[in-house]
Amino acid sequence: MHRNHKPAYAARTARLASCALLATAAALVGCERGSSDGADETATGPSGCPAVHARAQAAVTRAERTDIPWGGPTGGPAAVSGKTIVYVAQTMTNPGVAGAAKGVREAARVIGWDVRVIDGGGTPAGIQAAMSEAVALRPAGIVIGGFDPDSTAQQAARANAQGIPLIGWHAVPEPGPSRQPDLFTNVTTRVQDVARISAQWIISDSDGRAGVVVITDASIPFARNKSDLIRKELAACSGVRLLSVENIPIPDASSRTPREISSLLSRFQNRWTHSVAINDLYFADAAPAFRAAGEKGSGPPFNIGAGDGDPSAFQRINSEQYQAATVPEPLTLQGWQIVDEFNRAFAGRPASGYTAPIHIATAGNSEGASTWDPSGYQEAYRKIWGK
């Protein structure tokens, strides 16, 4: 059930009042790690963006609802039996990739298929080797788990030539079928929606006055596109300042994030009020640096993950330990969707066209949950498959 979040919002606003609130909008131009857009200038005068702020508040209120009915498919082919699929993971240290793989395994047990997971280890060579191994196994289908199919173009072409359908999870920016690269479908929320609501949460939470750090992995086109969209949405509010964009590759997050956070705290001090990262895992690695600097777990800075909503993110949010919100992927649901999409491919049917709606999880609406797992999908898919 949706809760009234006004008390939490008011408390954050009060805490923010003690910060040096920032007035002049930054021109959001191509800054990367260690760069800033006029962030050392002194902000003066009134700030905020009343109209943008009002729209952001309304959007956030909708996204925080937890009573969303199932809006996915209710019809489709019955279970095709005796299939084996391979899930090629960008890296299983990425909680989103691992969470979707868990959902695939769970759904495969229900539908009666075998699943093999091959970990690419987060490196181009490792991912290419994993895809080569997957194609050599000649499975019924292959999942592109969180990496750009163009980085394994030769292996993907071999799979296509052999008639092995490829389904992406966060493999290309848009959900649904793809011709170039050739994917039966791509399972993801809409990156535009995730980026927009992440930025709107900051605008809403700060009353249109924030100093923001964005954390991304520019080596992944999907992630870089997401952070670019976040920056564009933040720019709509004249009271928001982009302090810095930190480019930290996900495989290097554990070693580099603490150093970067310490440096940012030193540079920006109380001008830094909010952060948004393309993946929650950065805040797991940031927490020790915040703690060592004496920052309160409840913020500021108030941190939101623009994906993926893994259990450790929910734990940080619910215990107010250096993360205030996440825009979680319904990872288990998406794993079930991947299995259902393969079943449609094997039956010669088109993709379902379903895209999960966006959601914001906070301590106020998660009710102690460790994942975002909306209701209705398991029953719907079981009924479709006859299981």
Side-chain angles (χ1 to χ4, degrees):
M1 182 178 294
H2 178 61
R3 293 181 175 180
N4 188 334
H5 305 295
K6 289 296 184 183
Y9 174 78
R12 285 201 198 96
T13 303
R15 288 195 296 269
L16 281 170
S18 65
C19 299
L21 299 180
L22 308 167
T24 307
L28 303 185
V29 288
C31 62
E32 294 298 341
R33 175 182 173 272
S35 67
S36 61
D37 296 322
D40 295 323
E41 297 174 5
T42 301
T44 59
S47 63
C49 48
V52 174
H53 176 249
R55 288 195 297 271
Q57 275 192 309
V60 167
T61 297
R62 288 192 300 271
E64 287 181 341
R65 288 182 55 193
T66 58
D67 55 346
I68 305 298
W70 170 243
T74 55
V80 178
S81 63
K83 299 298 182 179
T84 296
I85 59 176
V86 175
Y87 185 105
V88 179
Q90 182 251 348
T91 170
M92 289 294 279
T93 63
N94 182 326
V97 172
K102 178 177 177 290
V104 168
R105 283 178 167 136
E106 182 181 291
R109 284 194 296 270
V110 172
I111 204 171
W113 297 350
D114 293 324
V115 177
R116 178 166 177 177
V117 176
I118 304 176
D119 191 346
T123 67
I127 293 167
Q128 288 172 6
M131 270 294 285
S132 292
E133 183 180 352
V135 175
L137 290 170
R138 293 183 178 272
I142 297 173
V143 182
I144 307 294
F147 60 91
D148 181 3
D150 288 339
S151 68
T152 58
Q154 292 182 349
Q155 293 88 344
R158 288 203 297 273
N160 294 151
Q162 293 175 24
I164 301 171
L166 302 177
I167 290 181
W169 180 84
H170 284 217
V172 294
E174 296 295 328
S178 170
R179 284 185 170 269
Q180 292 183 333
D182 188 356
L183 302 177
F184 179 75
T185 195
N186 182 54
V187 175
T188 180
T189 49
R190 290 186 175 85
V191 66
Q192 299 94 329
D193 295 342
V194 173
R196 182 180 301 112
I197 202 65
S198 301
Q200 287 175 323
W201 181 86
I202 289 174
I203 293 166
S204 176
D205 189 72
S206 68
D207 201 21
R209 301 176 175 91
V212 184
V213 169
V214 176
I215 306 174
T216 190
D217 181 347
S219 70
I220 302 174
F222 182 92
R224 181 161 189 159
N225 181 43
K226 184 189 291 186
S227 58
D228 287 346
L229 291 167
I230 289 168
R231 290 161 59 185
K232 181 179 179 180
E233 188 68 27
L234 289 171
C237 180
S238 60
V240 170
R241 294 280 295 280
L242 180 67
L243 300 178
S244 183
V245 177
E246 298 297 310
N247 175 25
I248 304 174
I250 286 174
D252 299 337
S254 60
S255 61
R256 283 188 47 188
T257 304
R259 295 198 307 268
E260 302 299 343
I261 294 298
S262 296
S263 175
L264 290 165
L265 286 169
S266 177
R267 286 174 64 196
F268 299 121
Q269 300 180 34
N270 63 2
R271 288 176 292 167
W272 179 10
T273 68
H274 288 77
S275 314
V276 55
I278 55 95
N279 191 298
D280 291 306
L281 66 84
Y282 290 105
F283 296 125
D285 298 316
F290 283 126
R291 193 173 292 114
E295 300 293 333
K296 293 181 180 179
S298 57
F302 303 106
N303 302 317
I304 182 170
D308 291 302
D310 66 281
S312 68
F314 276 82
Q315 183 178 17
R316 288 189 297 276
I317 290 164
N318 291 330
S319 60
E320 295 191 321
Q321 289 298 303
Y322 307 104
Q323 187 166 350
T326 184
V327 184
E329 296 286 330
L331 298 171
T332 305
L333 181 159
Q334 289 176 336
W336 282 63
Q337 183 185 349
I338 287 168
V339 169
D340 181 67
E341 301 291 4
F342 272 128
N343 195 57
R344 292 168 190 272
F346 301 153
R349 302 281 287 275
S352 72
Y354 175 63
T355 301
I358 55 168
H359 176 68
I360 294 176
T362 67
N365 70 353
S366 68
E367 298 183 339
S370 59
T371 58
W372 167 232
D373 195 28
S375 62
Y377 68 91
Q378 295 186 12
E379 296 82 359
Y381 284 131
R382 282 178 179 272
K383 186 174 180 180
I384 292 169
W385 302 337
K387 295 290 183 175

